[in-house]
Amino acid sequence: MKHQILVILILSMMSLGVNAEDTMNGIFDSRFKTLQVKVEGNEYAPPVITLDTDDRVIISFDELTEEHSYLRYSLVHCNAMWQPSGLVDMEYVDGFNLGYVEEYEYSQLTTTHYVHYSIALPNDEVRFTISGNYLLRVFPENNPDETLLQARFMVSEAKVRVGASVTSRTDVDYNRAHQQLSFEVDASKLNVQDMYNDFRIVVSQNSRIDNEVVIDKPLRVSLNKAYYEHLSPLVFKAGNEYRRMETVSVTYPGMHVAEIGYSEPYYHQILETDGLRSIGQYIYDQTQFGRFTIREYNSSQSDIEADYVLTHFTLDLPEQFNYGIFLDGDFTYRRFDPESRMVFNRATGKYEKTLLLKQGAYNYQYLAVPVGTMVGATAPIEGDFYETVNEYLIKVYYHRPGERYDRLVGVAMIFSGK
């Protein structure tokens, strides 16, 4: 009994100790790679599952090592802005909020040895009792204060209906560089006292964090419906289709790969040099909006048979002094940090970056981030074209008076140009 009380106290302190400024997806130990958060059965869907259904979220990652480690995980409930809600574990989890990472497999037939781990939630030990944003932390069994990696996902009640549309005929321009969203929230199934103030809407474009927008008030309300239209934050820069590359083979060059080599201990794949796409015409290309898929072309078990490859990116762009140039996509966890920042090589006159990536098919783009800001711009490199097909995710949070957390009561996804 004393041991259980001690563990509960430790977990409570861990929940309160999450860095309020960093709850983004991320890996904090270089031994770990390839963090993915997926909905079971739909790997291209945003990481949102519905409460009290058979939905499950799968969090997977690799550790570059010969033997598996003893890892544990816990969950932190967060508000709409991804800050810890301050709830006690028993208020959002039915079960013990301390799980073992028990599912793992060793890599096979790879030059780089690794262990592949996966966590499925909910499970027999951990079940969600409320909706909202959740942050999963993974840490060593013997050091609960050390966060090795963390992953975001969401649990929705699906209590409101969201009807949405997106157009390139915006309040800013007409069929040029922007797209504008309009939507309505039908809360007939909720007993909402104040439709103007009880909802908070968060809208993201292609899972990006930097240009995510928050809407606290609708334009108007009629009975049980709130209407969000002609609001300036809902005008997004249109961007461009994501670039694509495939490193699915180490014997022949895949899509956008110029050269393959081997220098112990890694294979190297040099990508074709990228150029500016901000000038010229828009060209459609079907992408997955910044996601990536692990795949080895000759394998039926890519999760454990895909190898790790040093992947070399090059961007033909003069040195920029007012911008930092960053690789954007799920594989960089949407972070603007040294891992995703391109480095200008004065000898070649180009921006370069080398990343150790698992074989697969990747979407990426280059974002120019003005010095002193954390919001990326597509215009300088990728361009902004009104025809671009973008994925918009609309999340509806409801904070009922007297409650201590933000309920996620509805989610909708809409695509521009479709």
Side-chain angles (χ1 to χ4, degrees):
M1 183 64 180
K2 290 181 179 179
H3 176 70
Q4 291 180 342
I5 293 174
L6 178 60
V7 173
I8 291 173
L9 289 173
I10 290 174
L11 286 174
S12 297
M13 288 188 290
M14 285 162 44
S15 297
L16 294 174
V18 172
N19 185 342
E21 296 182 354
D22 189 359
T23 58
M24 294 173 58
N25 288 347
I27 291 177
F28 311 112
D29 186 308
S30 60
R31 293 174 301 153
F32 292 85
K33 302 289 182 183
T34 319
L35 172 63
Q36 292 186 286
V37 188
K38 298 181 178 180
V39 174
E40 187 176 44
N42 189 356
E43 64 180 34
Y44 295 118
V48 185
I49 60 175
T50 304
L51 188 67
D52 297 326
T53 68
D54 293 331
D55 290 356
R56 296 203 304 173
V57 63
I58 308 296
I59 297 101
S60 63
F61 52 91
D62 295 339
E63 182 183 10
L64 306 186
T65 184
E66 299 283 348
E67 296 291 336
H68 83 277
S69 299
Y70 292 95
L71 306 175
R72 307 197 79 170
Y73 66 88
S74 66
L75 296 167
V76 179
H77 190 276
C78 296
N79 64 19
M81 304 310 297
W82 287 101
Q83 305 307 311
S85 301
L87 301 179
V88 178
D89 294 349
M90 64 182 66
E91 293 184 271
Y92 57 90
V93 172
D94 178 15
F96 200 43
N97 189 12
L98 183 63
Y100 284 101
V101 184
E102 297 178 322
E103 297 295 327
Y104 62 88
E105 296 180 276
Y106 292 98
S107 61
Q108 299 178 12
L109 307 175
T110 58
T111 58
T112 300
H113 296 174
Y114 58 87
V115 180
H116 178 72
Y117 301 89
S118 63
I119 302 167
L121 294 169
N123 54 46
D124 292 340
E125 284 72 40
V126 177
R127 293 169 296 279
F128 312 113
T129 59
I130 63 175
S131 65
N133 293 341
Y134 283 83
L135 182 72
L136 177 137
R137 293 181 57 250
V138 175
F139 51 89
E141 181 183 32
N142 60 357
N143 187 3
D145 292 327
E146 180 186 1
T147 301
L148 299 172
L149 57 92
Q150 62 191 26
R152 290 177 171 186
F153 63 92
M154 291 152 281
V155 179
S156 171
E157 297 178 26
K159 289 288 182 64
V160 302
R161 187 188 67 82
V162 181
S165 63
V166 57
T167 180
S168 57
R169 302 174 181 181
T170 76
D171 295 340
V172 175
D173 54 29
Y174 184 90
N175 284 356
R176 290 186 63 189
H178 294 82
Q179 296 170 349
Q180 184 164 344
L181 273 71
S182 299
F183 55 90
E184 63 183 50
V185 176
D186 184 345
S188 301
K189 294 183 179 180
L190 284 177
N191 183 23
V192 181
Q193 297 178 11
D194 188 348
M195 293 284 289
Y196 275 103
N197 296 302
D198 290 352
F199 285 134
R200 171 170 282 183
I201 315 296
V202 180
V203 183
S204 59
Q205 179 194 57
N206 302 328
S207 299
R208 283 176 59 183
I209 305 297
D210 60 303
N211 67 344
E212 199 169 51
V213 301
V214 180
I215 309 294
D216 286 321
K217 293 185 185 300
L219 179 69
R220 60 188 175 93
V221 170
S222 177
L223 297 177
N224 294 314
K225 291 185 178 180
Y227 294 86
Y228 299 80
E229 50 196 15
H230 295 291
L231 298 174
S232 58
L234 293 178
V235 180
F236 287 80
K237 293 180 180 178
N240 203 342
E241 308 294 345
Y242 277 76
R243 302 173 191 251
R244 293 194 293 160
M245 63 90 169
E246 294 186 354
T247 56
V248 297
S249 172
V250 294
T251 57
Y252 70 88
M255 177 186 295
H256 203 56
V257 175
E259 184 180 339
I260 295 176
Y262 181 81
S263 178
E264 192 173 354
Y266 297 116
Y267 284 98
H268 292 249
Q269 299 216 17
I270 300 172
L271 304 184
E272 296 173 358
T273 299
D274 289 315
L276 294 180
R277 300 195 299 169
S278 54
I279 54 177
Q281 295 182 337
Y282 165 81
I283 300 176
Y284 171 74
D285 187 15
Q286 185 174 1
T287 71
Q288 292 300 330
F289 312 105
R291 298 183 177 95
F292 67 94
T293 302
I294 298 305
R295 186 162 70 88
E296 203 285 329
Y297 86 104
N298 201 31
S299 171
S300 60
Q301 302 181 86
S302 292
D303 282 340
I304 57 173
E305 293 184 355
D307 217 329
Y308 274 86
V309 174
L310 279 172
T311 308
H312 302 263
F313 295 83
T314 303
L315 174 64
D316 190 357
L317 177 72
E319 187 171 12
Q320 304 295 300
F321 297 99
N322 297 322
Y323 295 95
I325 309 300
F326 292 86
L327 279 166
D328 172 67
D330 278 2
F331 69 106
T332 61
Y333 312 117
R334 310 290 182 163
R335 290 172 171 268
F336 299 146
D337 61 13
E339 186 75 2
S340 62
R341 186 176 190 127
M342 302 289 290
V343 177
F344 187 74
N345 185 336
R346 288 185 171 83
T348 63
K350 298 178 175 63
Y351 279 89
E352 299 172 354
K353 189 66 182 181
T354 299
L355 295 174
L356 185 63
L357 300 176
K358 201 172 183 178
Q359 283 181 276
Y362 288 77
N363 281 190
Y364 68 100
Q365 66 178 353
Y366 296 100
L367 292 179
V369 180
V371 174
T373 75
M374 292 299 288
V375 179
T378 45
I381 302 172
E382 305 295 353
D384 288 312
F385 299 92
Y386 75 89
E387 304 100 324
T388 302
V389 179
N390 288 307
E391 175 190 277
Y392 292 96
L393 185 68
I394 303 167
K395 296 169 285 186
V396 182
Y397 295 91
Y398 173 45
H399 196 116
R400 187 164 54 191
E403 287 188 331
R404 298 171 49 235
Y405 70 98
D406 295 330
R407 296 166 58 183
L408 179 57
V409 293
V411 174
M413 191 161 62
I414 186 171
F415 299 90
S416 60
K418 289 189 177 182

